[in-house]
């Protein structure tokens, strides 16, 4: 008996992928040349599976700030935010985030994952209730497991189901905390946030919105879905990440609720880990500045998103319910997703394979994400490769099967 016997069936599937030399979970790029181009060996690869929505990873000002801060303050803080790991830069970034969102308080975490885990586990205490959208990201589920609160799932993007569940809990003591996302990372769909806000008001619940994929993407100034739907006043906590539109790493939470700062000495994923290195903090601060001052990036991103989403739909692929920088083609099964992914990579296009349990409804997805840095020609080239591989694999569907797959979404 081995300690790892419990993973036996997974091991078989994984070694099958390894031997087929098409393991989407083990790709290493030899060079990254720009936000949209890389090399594997000598082969040029067009990147269409990153979360680099604004293409800021190679922005000269962002890089210069990271270098300057690293030279000045060193490569790491070697300590927790509540010990030796808070520098002036961490504080300034928190002020910049609070200012951007027009909120009183902001806390920076070492990743977006830790921001969700740290906020949810601390907010929802014994006797409280967390109500999670069924399609929530793993970090939201993990955060709900770390704390003592009772967890209830409601149907994805279904405010009526949420209202029913809150009604059933109305005689139960304890705070009710509802968690939804701005853009969902698997199919690129958005939450019906106005309806959720109305439900939360009616039942006196708190609302947390994870804007990981919508920061810098939605809203007149890029604050996310709550801004786009004009319900920011109803959102009690916004969680986000620096690892997508800001092109770095790190996470945050902002709020107006008095007493928020107590979380700094309560939230274990904030306290018991090293703080972000000064260079990473400086890069995120500059990237946020770029996001605020260059709305053109958001416009380009959304143009590219529409071009790719409608392009794939027109080709006859079953895609998610609305245009978004995350565009997933629904595959009939995981094996087809692997084969499609592998042929695209051979042709020089990098995308993602997403499978259950990360995907909703057990779907196998070939997930792409576009960037403001893509040119319309690159998007066209990617569409051409999807068409070529789709035809070769008989996956460009007749209209009736397409309708069936779309209805399943
Ligand atoms: C909705 C959502 N929340 C949080 C995270 C975690 O972000 P990070 O990569 O900064 O840990 C992700 C990452 O994919 C995400 O999709």
């Amino acid at each position: 008996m081995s300690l790892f016997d419990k993973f036996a069936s997974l091991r078989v599937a994984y070694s099958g992928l390894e031997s087929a030399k098409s393991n989407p979970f083990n790709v290493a790029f030899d060079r990254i040349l720009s936000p949209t181009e890389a090399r594997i060996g000598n082969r040029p690869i067009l990147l269409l599976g990153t979360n680099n929505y604004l293409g800021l990873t190679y922005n000269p000002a962002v890089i210069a700030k990271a270098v300057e801060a690293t030279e000045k303050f060193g490569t790491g803080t070697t300590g927790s935010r509540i010990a030796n790991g808070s520098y002036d830069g961490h504080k300034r970034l928190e002020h910049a985030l609070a200012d951007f969102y027009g909120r009183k308080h902001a806390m920076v975490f070492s990743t977006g994952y830790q921001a969700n885990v740290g906020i949810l586990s601390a907010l929802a205490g014994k006797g409280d209730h967390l109500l999670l959208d069924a399609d929530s990201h793993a970090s939201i589920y993990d955060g709900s497991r770390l704390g003592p609160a009772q967890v209830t799932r409601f149907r994805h993007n279904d405010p009526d189901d949420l209202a029913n569940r809150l009604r059933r809990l109305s005689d139960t003591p304890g705070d009710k905390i509802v968690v939804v996302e701005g853009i969902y990372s698997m199919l690129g769909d958005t939450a019906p946030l106005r309806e959720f806000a109305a439900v939360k008001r009616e039942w006196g619940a708190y609302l947390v919105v994870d804007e990981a994929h919508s920061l810098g993407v939605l809203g007149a100034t890029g604050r996310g879905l709550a801004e786009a739907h004009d319900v920011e006043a109803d959102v009690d906590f916004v969680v986000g990440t620096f690892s997508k539109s800001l092109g770095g790493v790190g996470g945050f939470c902002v709020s107006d609720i008095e007493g928020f700062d107590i979380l700094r000495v309560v939230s274990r994923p904030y306290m018991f880990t090293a703080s972000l290195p000064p260079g990473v903090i400086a890069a995120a601060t500059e990237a946020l500045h770029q996001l605020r001052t260059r709305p053109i990036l958001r416009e380009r991103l959304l143009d590219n998103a529409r071009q790719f989403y409608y392009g794939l739909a027109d080709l006859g692929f079953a895609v998610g319910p609305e245009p978004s920088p995350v565009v997933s083609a629904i595959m009939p099964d995981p094996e087809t997703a692997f084969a499609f992914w592998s042929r695209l990579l051979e042709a020089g296009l990098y995308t993602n394979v997403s499978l259950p349990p990360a995907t909703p409804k057990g779907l196998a997805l070939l997930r792409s994400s576009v960037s403001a840095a893509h040119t319309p020609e690159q998007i066209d080239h990617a569409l051409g490769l999807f068409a070529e591989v789709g035809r070769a694999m008989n996956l460009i569907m007749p209209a009736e099967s397409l309708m069936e797959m779309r209805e399943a979404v």
Side-chain angles (χ1 to χ4, degrees), residues 330-404:
I330 301 168
M331 297 281 121
D333 49 63
E335 292 69 31
T336 313
F338 289 132
F340 203 112
W341 176 87
S342 169
R343 288 170 87 146
L344 285 179
L345 191 64
E346 271 165 38
L349 183 65
Y350 176 77
T351 55
N352 310 128
V353 171
S354 302
L355 298 177
T359 55
K361 298 181 181 170
L363 291 171
L365 301 176
L366 195 65
R367 176 188 181 275
S368 304
S369 39
V370 301
S371 167
H374 284 118
T375 62
E377 293 72 29
Q378 285 176 317
I379 303 272
D380 267 344
H381 179 64
L383 286 168
L385 293 176
F386 265 83
E388 213 174 286
V389 175
R391 272 188 218 107
M393 289 182 62
N394 260 336
L395 275 174
I396 303 253
M397 308 203 177
E400 318 80 71
S401 349
L402 187 62
M403 287 310 291
E404 268 169 36

Side-chain angles (χ1 to χ4, degrees), residues 297-321:
L297 295 177
R298 206 154 51 250
E299 286 161 29
R300 274 192 213 135
L301 169 68
L302 296 176
D303 282 348
N304 287 344
R306 281 187 285 267
Q307 185 186 345
F308 190 64
Y309 174 88
Y310 289 115
L312 268 198
D314 288 349
L315 282 173
F317 286 96
V319 289

Side-chain angles (χ1 to χ4, degrees), residues 207-252:
L207 180 59
V208 179
V209 180
D210 178 351
E211 300 268 19
H213 290 269
S214 32
L215 162 65
V217 176
L218 300 178
T221 67
R223 290 200 292 254
L225 186 70
E227 183 183 31
H229 286 193
D230 200 14
V231 291
E232 287 178 287
D234 288 308
V235 177
D236 302 289
F237 301 90
V238 176
V239 176
T241 173
F242 308 149
S243 73
K244 305 187 193 300
S245 57
L246 297 181
V249 69
F252 69 90

